[in-house]
Amino acid sequence: MKRDDSAGFAALRERLELIYGPNAFVSKTWLRRRLLARATRPVPEQGPEPERRSAAAPASAPETLEAVRAELGDCRRCKLSATRKTIVFGEGSPTAELMFVGEGPGEQEDAQGRPFVGKAGQLLDKIIEAMGLKRSEVYIANVVKCRPPGNRTPEPDEAGACEPFLFRQLDAIKPKIVVALGGTALKALLHSEDARITRMRGKFTDYRGAKLMPTFHPSFLLRNPDAKKDVWEDMKKVMAELKK
C-alpha cells in the first residue's frame, strides 16, 4: 500500500519557503528524508523539573532599638563605665522622622538615665515645641551614653566605643533628618576631625539615607544667647524639609 504523506510534504515545504523564499527548489525525495528523520528522532528523557527559587533573597528584618539596647547591656567597653551612674541610651519615637544627636550625658542625665533633661535639655524642649512637635515625636540620643567626668568632651576612644551603637540606632529609626547638636556630634557622625560646626552649620548634608543638619548645641546657646536666632533659622530649614 502506497503511503500518503502529501500533507507532511506540504507543511514542510511551506516552512522552507518561508525561510528560503517561494522560488526555492526542494525535491520530494529530500522532503521525504526530512520527514522520516523527524519521525524517528529519539525524544530526550525529561528529568525532574528543577526547583524554582526566588530571584530575590529574603530581606532580613530591620534591627530594633530594643535589640540594640539589649546588646549594649551593662556596657564596660570604655573607661566611662567606671564613673557613670546610669547608661543614657536615648529616648523618643522609634519611627521618628527627626533625630537629635548631642555630645554626651550631663549630671542630670546621668542621674535620671534620660538624655537632655538639664538646662540645655529644657532649652531643646522649647525648640522642639516651637517647631510644632512634641518631644515624644522625635528621637534624642548622644555620641556617648555615659557621662564624661566633669562634663568634659568625650575622648576619641570613648566615642569610638559608643559610635557603633549610635549608628545602629540611626539605622533602626531611619529618620528623615538628623540634627547634629554641636561640633563633637558633627565630628562623630561624619567621622571627620576636620568637620567644623561654624563652617557647616545651617547647611544640609546627605547622610546615611537622611539629611544631616549641623547646628549649635543648646548649652552653647545658654552661654551665647545671640546665637539662638541662628539655630532657629536652621530649624526653619528642618521644618521645611520635613514637609516635603
Side-chain angles (χ1 to χ4, degrees), residues 76-90:
R76 304 287 173 179
R77 293 172 177 83
C78 79
K79 57 184 177 293
L80 292 181
S81 62
T83 55
R84 70 161 188 245
K85 291 181 180 178
T86 57
I87 293 175
V88 183
F89 181 70

Side-chain angles (χ1 to χ4, degrees), residues 130-141:
M131 296 172 72
L133 298 169
K134 299 177 182 178
R135 183 181 171 109
S136 60
E137 294 176 315
V138 303
Y139 196 88
I140 305 173

Side-chain angles (χ1 to χ4, degrees), residues 13 29 32 65 78 81 89 125 156 182 200 208 233:
R13 185 185 293 277
T29 303
R32 184 175 286 110
L65 289 173
C78 79
S81 62
F89 181 70
D125 286 347
M200 299 182 66
R208 299 173 74 93
E233 290 301 316

Side-chain angles (χ1 to χ4, degrees), residues 59-79:
S60 57
E63 189 171 32
T64 64
L65 289 173
E66 290 79 7
V68 179
R69 180 64 185 91
E71 186 170 335
L72 179 65
D74 184 28
C75 185
R76 304 287 173 179
R77 293 172 177 83
C78 79
K79 57 184 177 293

Side-chain angles (χ1 to χ4, degrees), residues 76-181:
R76 304 287 173 179
R77 293 172 177 83
C78 79
K79 57 184 177 293
L80 292 181
S81 62
T83 55
R84 70 161 188 245
K85 291 181 180 178
T86 57
I87 293 175
V88 183
F89 181 70
E91 71 176 25
S93 171
T95 58
E97 289 192 328
L98 177 59
M99 180 172 177
F100 291 91
V101 178
E103 179 177 304
E107 182 179 7
Q108 292 300 316
E109 290 79 12
D110 187 36
Q112 299 184 40
R114 299 178 59 212
F116 282 89
V117 292
K119 291 183 178 180
Q122 293 168 14
L123 179 54
L124 179 60
D125 286 347
K126 292 179 180 179
I127 293 172
I128 293 171
E129 291 173 5
M131 296 172 72
L133 298 169
K134 299 177 182 178
R135 183 181 171 109
S136 60
E137 294 176 315
V138 303
Y139 196 88
I140 305 173
N142 284 300
V143 172
V144 295
K145 306 191 183 309
C146 298
R147 180 194 179 196
N151 292 351
R152 62 165 171 76
T153 300
E155 296 177 358
D157 62 311
E158 297 162 353
C162 261
E163 279 175 7
F165 293 96
L166 174 61
F167 293 146
R168 286 167 64 181
Q169 285 175 290
L170 284 161
D171 291 341
I173 298 166
K174 292 181 173 57
K176 186 175 181 179
I177 298 175
V178 179
V179 175
L181 297 170

